[in-house]
Coordinates of all heavy atoms in Angstrom, one line a residue:
M736 N -168.1 34.7 107.5 CA -169.2 34.5 106.6 C -170.4 35.3 107.0 O -171.2 35.7 106.1 CB -169.6 33.0 106.8 CG -170.7 32.6 105.8 SD -171.5 31.0 106.0 CE -170.4 30.0 106.8
S737 N -170.5 35.8 108.2 CA -171.6 36.6 108.6 C -171.2 37.8 109.3 O -170.0 37.9 109.8 CB -172.6 35.8 109.4 OG -172.0 35.6 110.7
N738 N -172.1 38.7 109.6 CA -171.8 39.9 110.4 C -172.6 39.8 111.7 O -172.9 40.8 112.2 CB -172.2 41.1 109.6 CG -171.3 41.3 108.4 OD1 -170.1 41.2 108.5 ND2 -171.9 41.6 107.3
L739 N -172.8 38.6 112.1 CA -173.5 38.5 113.4 C -172.6 39.0 114.5 O -171.4 38.8 114.5 CB -173.9 37.0 113.7 CG -175.0 36.4 112.9 CD1 -175.0 34.9 113.1 CD2 -176.3 37.1 113.2
P740 N -173.2 39.6 115.6 CA -172.4 40.0 116.7 C -172.0 38.9 117.6 O -171.6 39.2 118.8 CB -173.3 41.1 117.4 CG -174.7 40.6 117.0 CD -174.6 39.9 115.7
F741 N -172.1 37.7 117.2 CA -171.7 36.5 118.0 C -171.4 35.4 117.0 O -171.7 35.6 115.8 CB -172.8 36.1 118.9 CG -174.1 35.8 118.3 CD1 -174.3 34.5 117.8 CD2 -175.1 36.7 118.1 CE1 -175.5 34.2 117.1 CE2 -176.3 36.4 117.5 CZ -176.5 35.1 117.0
T742 N -170.7 34.4 117.4 CA -170.4 33.3 116.6 C -171.3 32.2 116.8 O -171.4 31.6 117.8 CB -168.9 32.9 116.9 OG1 -168.1 34.0 116.7 CG2 -168.5 31.8 115.9
L743 N -172.0 31.8 115.7 CA -172.9 30.6 115.8 C -172.0 29.4 115.9 O -171.0 29.3 115.2 CB -173.7 30.6 114.5 CG -175.0 31.3 114.4 CD1 -175.6 31.1 113.0 CD2 -176.0 30.9 115.5
P744 N -172.5 28.4 116.6 CA -171.9 27.1 116.5 C -172.1 26.6 115.1 O -173.0 27.0 114.5 CB -172.6 26.3 117.6 CG -173.9 27.0 117.8 CD -173.7 28.4 117.5
H745 N -171.2 25.8 114.7 CA -171.3 25.3 113.3 C -170.7 23.9 113.1 O -169.8 23.6 113.9 CB -170.8 26.3 112.3 CG -169.3 26.6 112.5 ND1 -168.3 25.9 112.1 CD2 -168.8 27.6 113.3 CE1 -167.2 26.4 112.5 NE2 -167.4 27.4 113.2
C746 N -171.1 23.2 112.2 CA -170.6 21.9 111.8 C -170.9 21.7 110.4 O -171.5 22.6 109.7 CB -171.1 20.8 112.8 SG -172.9 20.6 112.6
T747 N -170.7 20.5 109.9 CA -171.0 20.2 108.5 C -172.3 19.6 108.3 O -172.6 19.2 107.1 CB -169.9 19.3 107.9 OG1 -169.8 18.1 108.7 CG2 -168.5 20.0 107.9
D748 N -173.1 19.4 109.3 CA -174.4 18.8 109.2 C -175.4 19.7 108.5 O -175.3 21.0 108.6 CB -175.0 18.4 110.6 CG -174.3 17.3 111.2 OD1 -173.4 16.7 110.5 OD2 -174.5 17.0 112.4
P749 N -176.4 19.2 107.8 CA -177.5 20.0 107.3 C -178.2 20.7 108.4 O -178.5 20.0 109.5 CB -178.3 19.0 106.5 CG -177.8 17.7 106.7 CD -176.6 17.7 107.5
A750 N -178.6 21.9 108.2 CA -179.4 22.6 109.2 C -180.8 22.0 109.3 O -181.4 21.6 108.3 CB -179.5 24.1 108.9
T751 N -181.3 21.9 110.5 CA -182.7 21.4 110.7 C -183.6 22.4 111.4 O -184.8 22.2 111.5 CB -182.7 20.1 111.6 OG1 -182.0 20.4 112.8 CG2 -182.0 19.0 110.9
E752 N -183.0 23.5 111.8 CA -183.7 24.5 112.5 C -183.3 25.9 112.0 O -182.1 26.1 111.7 CB -183.6 24.5 114.0 CG -184.1 23.2 114.6 CD -183.9 23.2 116.2 OE1 -183.5 24.3 116.7 OE2 -184.1 22.2 116.8
R753 N -184.2 26.8 112.1 CA -183.8 28.2 111.9 C -183.8 28.9 113.3 O -184.5 28.6 114.1 CB -184.9 29.0 111.1 CG -185.0 28.5 109.7 CD -185.8 29.4 108.8 NE -186.9 30.0 109.6 CZ -187.7 31.0 109.2 NH1 -187.4 31.6 108.1 NH2 -188.6 31.4 109.9
L754 N -182.9 29.8 113.4 CA -182.7 30.6 114.6 C -183.1 32.0 114.3 O -182.3 32.7 113.5 CB -181.3 30.5 115.2 CG -181.1 31.0 116.5 CD1 -181.7 30.1 117.6 CD2 -179.6 31.2 116.8
E755 N -184.2 32.5 114.8 CA -184.6 33.9 114.5 C -183.9 34.7 115.6 O -184.1 34.5 116.8 CB -186.1 34.1 114.6 CG -186.8 33.2 113.6 CD -188.3 33.3 113.7 OE1 -188.8 34.1 114.6 OE2 -189.0 32.7 112.9
V756 N -183.1 35.7 115.1 CA -182.4 36.5 116.1 C -182.9 37.9 116.1 O -182.9 38.6 115.0 CB -180.9 36.5 115.7 CG1 -180.1 37.4 116.7 CG2 -180.3 35.1 115.7
Y757 N -183.3 38.4 117.2 CA -183.9 39.7 117.4 C -183.1 40.6 118.3 O -182.5 40.1 119.3 CB -185.3 39.6 118.0 CG -186.3 38.9 117.2 CD1 -186.5 37.5 117.3 CD2 -187.2 39.6 116.3 CE1 -187.4 36.8 116.5 CE2 -188.1 38.9 115.6 CZ -188.3 37.6 115.7 OH -189.2 36.9 114.9
S758 N -183.0 41.8 117.9 CA -182.3 42.7 118.9 C -183.4 43.6 119.6 O -184.4 43.9 118.9 CB -181.3 43.6 118.2 OG -182.0 44.4 117.2
P759 N -183.2 43.9 120.8 CA -184.2 44.7 121.5 C -184.3 46.1 121.0 O -183.3 46.6 120.5 CB -183.7 44.7 123.0 CG -182.5 43.8 123.0 CD -182.1 43.6 121.6
A760 N -185.5 46.6 121.0 CA -185.7 48.0 120.5 C -186.9 48.6 121.3 O -187.9 47.9 121.5 CB -185.9 48.1 119.0
D761 N -186.8 49.8 121.7 CA -187.8 50.5 122.4 C -188.4 49.7 123.6 O -189.6 49.7 123.8 CB -189.0 50.8 121.4 CG -188.6 51.6 120.2 OD1 -187.7 52.5 120.4 OD2 -189.1 51.4 119.1
G762 N -187.5 49.1 124.3 CA -187.9 48.4 125.4 C -188.6 47.0 125.2 O -188.9 46.3 126.1
R763 N -188.8 46.7 123.9 CA -189.4 45.4 123.6 C -188.3 44.4 123.4 O -187.3 44.7 122.7 CB -190.3 45.5 122.4 CG -191.6 46.3 122.7 CD -192.3 46.6 121.4 NE -191.5 47.4 120.5 CZ -191.6 47.3 119.2 NH1 -192.4 46.4 118.6 NH2 -190.9 48.0 118.4
L764 N -188.5 43.2 123.9 CA -187.5 42.2 123.8 C -187.1 41.9 122.3 O -186.0 41.7 122.0 CB -187.9 41.0 124.6 CG -186.8 39.9 124.7 CD1 -185.5 40.5 125.3 CD2 -187.3 38.7 125.5
H765 N -188.2 41.7 121.5 CA -187.9 41.4 120.1 C -188.3 42.6 119.3 O -189.4 42.6 118.7 CB -188.4 40.1 119.6 CG -189.7 39.7 120.3 ND1 -190.9 40.2 120.0 CD2 -189.9 38.7 121.2 CE1 -191.8 39.6 120.7 NE2 -191.2 38.7 121.5
G766 N -187.4 43.6 119.2 CA -187.7 44.8 118.5 C -187.6 44.7 117.0 O -188.4 45.1 116.2
S767 N -186.5 44.1 116.6 CA -186.3 43.9 115.1 C -185.6 42.6 114.8 O -184.8 42.1 115.6 CB -185.5 45.1 114.6 OG -184.1 44.9 114.9
L768 N -186.1 42.0 113.7 CA -185.5 40.8 113.3 C -184.2 41.1 112.6 O -184.2 41.7 111.5 CB -186.5 40.0 112.4 CG -186.0 38.7 111.8 CD1 -185.7 37.7 112.8 CD2 -187.1 38.2 110.8
D769 N -183.1 40.7 113.2 CA -181.8 41.1 112.6 C -181.2 40.0 111.8 O -180.4 40.3 110.9 CB -180.9 41.4 113.7 CG -181.1 42.8 114.3 OD1 -182.1 43.5 113.8 OD2 -180.3 43.3 115.1
A770 N -181.5 38.8 112.1 CA -180.8 37.7 111.4 C -181.5 36.4 111.5 O -182.3 36.2 112.4 CB -179.4 37.6 111.9
I771 N -181.3 35.5 110.6 CA -181.7 34.2 110.7 C -180.4 33.3 110.6 O -179.6 33.5 109.8 CB -182.6 33.8 109.4 CG1 -183.9 34.6 109.4 CG2 -182.9 32.3 109.5 CD1 -184.9 34.2 110.3
G772 N -180.3 32.5 111.6 CA -179.2 31.5 111.6 C -179.8 30.1 111.3 O -181.0 29.9 111.5
Y773 N -178.9 29.3 110.8 CA -179.3 27.9 110.4 C -178.5 27.0 111.3 O -177.3 27.1 111.3 CB -179.1 27.7 108.9 CG -180.0 28.5 108.1 CD1 -179.5 29.8 107.6 CD2 -181.3 28.2 107.9 CE1 -180.4 30.6 106.9 CE2 -182.2 29.0 107.1 CZ -181.7 30.2 106.6 OH -182.5 31.1 105.9
I774 N -179.2 26.1 112.0 CA -178.4 25.2 112.9 C -179.0 23.8 112.8 O -180.1 23.6 112.5 CB -178.6 25.7 114.3 CG1 -180.0 26.2 114.6 CG2 -177.5 26.8 114.6 CD1 -180.3 26.6 116.0
C775 N -178.2 22.9 113.3 CA -178.6 21.5 113.4 C -179.2 21.2 114.8 O -179.1 22.0 115.7 CB -177.4 20.5 113.0 SG -176.2 20.5 114.4
D776 N -179.7 20.0 114.9 CA -180.3 19.6 116.2 C -179.3 19.7 117.4 O -179.6 20.2 118.5 CB -180.7 18.2 116.2 CG -182.0 18.0 115.3 OD1 -182.7 19.0 115.2 OD2 -182.2 16.8 114.8
R777 N -178.1 19.3 117.1 CA -177.1 19.3 118.2 C -176.7 20.7 118.7 O -176.3 20.9 119.8 CB -175.8 18.6 117.7 CG -175.9 17.1 117.7 CD -174.6 16.4 117.4 NE -174.1 16.9 116.0 CZ -172.8 17.2 115.8 NH1 -172.0 17.2 116.8 NH2 -172.5 17.6 114.6
H778 N -176.8 21.7 117.8 CA -176.3 23.0 118.1 C -177.3 24.0 118.4 O -177.0 25.2 118.7 CB -175.4 23.5 117.0 CG -174.0 22.8 116.9 ND1 -173.6 22.1 115.8 CD2 -173.1 22.8 117.8 CE1 -172.4 21.6 116.1 NE2 -172.1 22.0 117.3
G779 N -178.6 23.6 118.4 CA -179.7 24.5 118.7 C -179.6 25.3 120.0 O -179.6 26.5 120.1
A780 N -179.4 24.5 121.1 CA -179.4 25.1 122.4 C -178.2 26.0 122.6 O -178.3 27.1 123.1 CB -179.4 24.0 123.5
E781 N -177.1 25.6 122.0 CA -175.9 26.4 122.1 C -176.0 27.7 121.4 O -175.6 28.7 121.8 CB -174.7 25.6 121.6 CG -173.3 26.2 121.8 CD -172.2 25.4 121.1 OE1 -172.4 24.2 120.8 OE2 -171.1 26.0 120.9
A782 N -176.6 27.6 120.2 CA -176.8 28.8 119.4 C -177.7 29.8 120.1 O -177.4 31.0 120.1 CB -177.5 28.4 118.1
V783 N -178.7 29.4 120.8 CA -179.6 30.3 121.6 C -178.8 30.9 122.7 O -178.8 32.1 122.9 CB -180.8 29.5 122.2 CG1 -181.5 30.4 123.2 CG2 -181.8 29.1 121.1
S784 N -177.9 30.2 123.4 CA -177.2 30.8 124.5 C -176.1 31.7 124.0 O -175.9 32.7 124.7 CB -176.7 29.7 125.5 OG -175.8 28.8 124.8
V785 N -175.5 31.5 122.9 CA -174.5 32.5 122.4 C -175.2 33.8 122.0 O -174.7 34.9 122.2 CB -173.6 32.0 121.3 CG1 -172.6 31.0 121.8 CG2 -174.3 31.5 120.1
A786 N -176.4 33.6 121.4 CA -177.2 34.8 121.0 C -177.6 35.6 122.2 O -177.4 36.8 122.3 CB -178.4 34.4 120.2
E787 N -178.0 34.9 123.2 CA -178.5 35.6 124.5 C -177.3 36.2 125.2 O -177.4 37.3 125.8 CB -179.2 34.6 125.4 CG -180.6 34.3 124.8 CD -181.3 33.2 125.7 OE1 -180.7 32.6 126.5 OE2 -182.5 33.1 125.4
S788 N -176.1 35.6 125.1 CA -175.0 36.3 125.7 C -174.6 37.5 125.0 O -173.8 38.4 125.5 CB -173.8 35.3 125.9 OG -173.4 34.8 124.7
A789 N -175.0 37.7 123.8 CA -174.8 39.0 123.0 C -176.0 39.9 123.2 O -176.2 40.9 122.4 CB -174.5 38.7 121.6
N790 N -176.8 39.7 124.2 CA -178.0 40.5 124.5 C -179.0 40.5 123.3 O -179.7 41.5 123.0 CB -177.6 41.9 124.8 CG -176.9 42.0 126.2 OD1 -177.4 41.3 127.1 ND2 -175.9 42.7 126.3
L791 N -179.1 39.4 122.7 CA -180.1 39.3 121.6 C -181.1 38.2 122.0 O -180.8 37.2 122.7 CB -179.4 38.9 120.3 CG -178.5 40.0 119.8 CD1 -177.6 39.4 118.7 CD2 -179.2 41.2 119.3
A792 N -182.3 38.3 121.5 CA -183.3 37.2 121.7 C -183.3 36.3 120.6 O -183.2 36.7 119.4 CB -184.7 37.9 121.9
A793 N -183.3 35.0 120.8 CA -183.2 34.0 119.8 C -184.3 33.0 119.9 O -184.6 32.5 121.0 CB -181.9 33.4 119.7
Y794 N -185.0 32.6 118.8 CA -186.0 31.6 118.9 C -185.8 30.6 117.8 O -185.4 30.9 116.7 CB -187.4 32.3 118.6 CG -187.7 33.3 119.6 CD1 -187.4 34.7 119.4 CD2 -188.3 33.0 120.8 CE1 -187.7 35.6 120.3 CE2 -188.6 33.9 121.7 CZ -188.3 35.3 121.5 OH -188.5 36.2 122.5
R795 N -185.9 29.3 118.2 CA -185.7 28.2 117.3 C -187.0 27.9 116.6 O -188.0 27.7 117.2 CB -185.2 27.0 118.0 CG -183.8 27.3 118.6 CD -183.5 26.3 119.7 NE -183.3 25.0 119.2 CZ -183.0 23.9 120.0 NH1 -182.9 24.1 121.3 NH2 -182.9 22.7 119.5
T796 N -187.0 27.8 115.3 CA -188.2 27.3 114.6 C -187.7 26.2 113.6 O -186.6 26.2 113.2 CB -188.8 28.5 113.8 OG1 -187.8 29.0 112.8 CG2 -189.2 29.6 114.7
P797 N -188.7 25.4 113.2 CA -188.3 24.3 112.3 C -187.9 24.8 111.0 O -188.5 25.8 110.5 CB -189.6 23.4 112.2 CG -190.5 23.9 113.4 CD -190.1 25.3 113.7
M798 N -187.0 24.2 110.4 CA -186.5 24.5 109.0 C -187.6 24.0 108.0 O -188.2 23.0 108.2 CB -185.2 23.7 108.8 CG -184.5 24.0 107.6 SD -183.5 25.5 107.8 CE -182.8 25.4 106.2
C799 N -187.7 24.7 106.9 CA -188.6 24.2 105.9 C -187.9 23.0 105.3 O -186.7 22.9 105.2 CB -188.9 25.3 104.9 SG -187.4 26.0 104.1
P800 N -188.8 22.0 104.9 CA -188.2 20.7 104.5 C -187.3 20.8 103.3 O -186.4 19.9 103.2 CB -189.5 19.9 104.1 CG -190.6 20.7 104.5 CD -190.2 22.1 104.8
D801 N -187.4 21.7 102.4 CA -186.5 21.8 101.3 C -185.3 22.6 101.5 O -184.6 23.0 100.6 CB -187.3 22.2 100.0 CG -187.9 23.6 100.2 OD1 -187.9 24.1 101.4 OD2 -188.3 24.2 99.2
G802 N -185.1 23.0 102.7 CA -183.9 23.9 103.0 C -182.6 23.1 102.8 O -182.5 22.0 103.0
V803 N -181.7 23.8 102.2 CA -180.4 23.2 101.9 C -179.3 24.0 102.6 O -178.3 24.3 102.0 CB -180.2 23.1 100.4 CG1 -181.0 22.0 99.8 CG2 -180.4 24.5 99.7
R804 N -179.5 24.4 103.8 CA -178.5 25.2 104.5 C -177.7 24.2 105.4 O -178.1 23.2 105.7 CB -179.2 26.2 105.5 CG -180.1 27.2 104.7 CD -179.3 28.2 104.0 NE -180.1 29.2 103.4 CZ -179.7 30.4 103.0 NH1 -178.4 30.7 103.1 NH2 -180.5 31.2 102.4
T805 N -176.5 24.7 105.7 CA -175.6 24.0 106.5 C -175.6 24.6 107.9 O -175.7 25.9 108.0 CB -174.2 24.0 105.9 OG1 -174.3 23.4 104.6 CG2 -173.2 23.1 106.7
C806 N -175.4 23.8 108.9 CA -175.4 24.3 110.3 C -174.3 25.4 110.4 O -173.2 25.3 110.0 CB -175.0 23.2 111.2 SG -174.7 23.6 112.9
G807 N -174.7 26.6 110.9 CA -173.8 27.7 111.2 C -173.9 28.8 110.2 O -173.4 29.9 110.3
Q808 N -174.7 28.6 109.1 CA -174.9 29.6 108.1 C -175.8 30.7 108.7 O -176.6 30.4 109.6 CB -175.5 29.1 106.8 CG -174.5 28.3 106.0 CD -175.0 27.9 104.6 OE1 -176.2 27.6 104.5 NE2 -174.2 28.0 103.6
A809 N -175.7 31.9 108.2 CA -176.6 32.9 108.7 C -176.9 33.9 107.6 O -176.2 34.1 106.7 CB -175.9 33.6 109.9
L810 N -178.1 34.5 107.8 CA -178.5 35.6 106.9 C -178.7 36.8 107.8 O -179.6 36.8 108.7 CB -179.9 35.1 106.3 CG -180.3 35.5 104.9 CD1 -179.3 35.0 103.9 CD2 -181.7 35.0 104.7
V811 N -178.0 37.9 107.5 CA -178.1 39.0 108.4 C -178.8 40.1 107.7 O -178.5 40.5 106.5 CB -176.7 39.5 108.8 CG1 -176.7 40.7 109.6 CG2 -175.9 38.4 109.5
F812 N -179.9 40.6 108.3 CA -180.7 41.6 107.6 C -180.3 43.0 108.0 O -180.5 44.0 107.2 CB -182.2 41.5 108.1 CG -182.7 40.1 107.7 CD1 -183.3 39.4 108.7 CD2 -182.6 39.6 106.5 CE1 -183.8 38.1 108.4 CE2 -183.1 38.3 106.2 CZ -183.7 37.6 107.1
A813 N -179.8 43.2 109.2 CA -179.6 44.6 109.7 C -178.2 44.6 110.3 O -177.7 43.8 110.9 CB -180.6 45.0 110.7
V814 N -177.5 45.7 110.0 CA -176.3 46.0 110.6 C -176.6 47.1 111.6 O -177.2 48.1 111.3 CB -175.2 46.5 109.6 CG1 -173.9 46.9 110.4 CG2 -174.9 45.5 108.6
S815 N -176.3 46.9 112.9 CA -176.7 47.9 113.8 C -175.9 49.1 113.7 O -174.7 49.1 113.7 CB -176.6 47.4 115.2 OG -175.9 46.9 115.9
A816 N -176.6 50.2 113.4 CA -176.0 51.5 113.1 C -176.4 52.4 114.2 O -177.2 53.3 114.0 CB -176.4 52.0 111.7
G817 N -175.7 52.3 115.3 CA -176.1 53.2 116.4 C -177.4 53.0 117.0 O -178.1 53.9 117.5
G818 N -177.9 51.7 116.9 CA -179.2 51.4 117.4 C -179.2 51.1 118.9 O -178.3 51.6 119.6
A819 N -180.2 50.4 119.3 CA -180.2 50.1 120.8 C -179.1 49.2 121.2 O -178.8 48.2 120.6 CB -181.5 49.3 121.0
R820 N -178.3 49.6 122.1 CA -177.2 48.8 122.6 C -177.2 48.9 124.1 O -177.2 50.0 124.6 CB -175.9 49.4 122.0 CG -175.4 48.5 120.9 CD -175.1 47.1 121.3 NE -175.4 46.2 120.3 CZ -174.5 45.6 119.6 NH1 -173.2 45.8 119.8 NH2 -174.8 44.7 118.7
Ligands
LIG206 ZN1 -174.3 21.7 114.0

């Protein structure tokens, strides 16, 4: 479903949080916003740790109230094309 460099935890619950996923660039921890993941309460902490184990920075933010995403969905903005690795 996504091209994330890691696998988000997922379930059938509605997402309650967004996970902003940044890849480092130019020595800054959050160089570019690469993806938004959608996660439920139960999977928030796990989602952060899988992102971090892929050397990405992840931040949890509250979902907008009218969001209709399911836990584990993701929106990927950038495909790393020979970038910072
Ligand atoms: Zn979940």
Side-chain angles (χ1 to χ4, degrees):
M736 186 188 340
S737 73
N738 294 312
L739 287 172
F741 57 87
T742 303
L743 275 179
H745 55 87
C746 64
T747 55
D748 289 352
T751 54
E752 297 180 11
R753 294 192 322 166
L754 188 75
E755 300 177 358
V756 180
Y757 295 86
S758 62
D761 302 327
R763 290 172 299 148
L764 187 56
H765 29 78
S767 75
L768 178 60
D769 279 6
I771 298 282
Y773 297 93
I774 41 172
C775 72
D776 288 337
R777 284 186 299 137
H778 286 120
E781 186 184 344
V783 169
S784 56
V785 291
E787 287 176 348
S788 62
N790 292 318
L791 298 167
Y794 300 94
R795 295 160 69 181
T796 60
M798 185 81 178
C799 55
D801 60 345
V803 286
R804 301 284 183 166
T805 304
C806 176
Q808 290 189 318
L810 211 62
V811 178
F812 304 127
V814 175
S815 58
R820 259 299 144 105

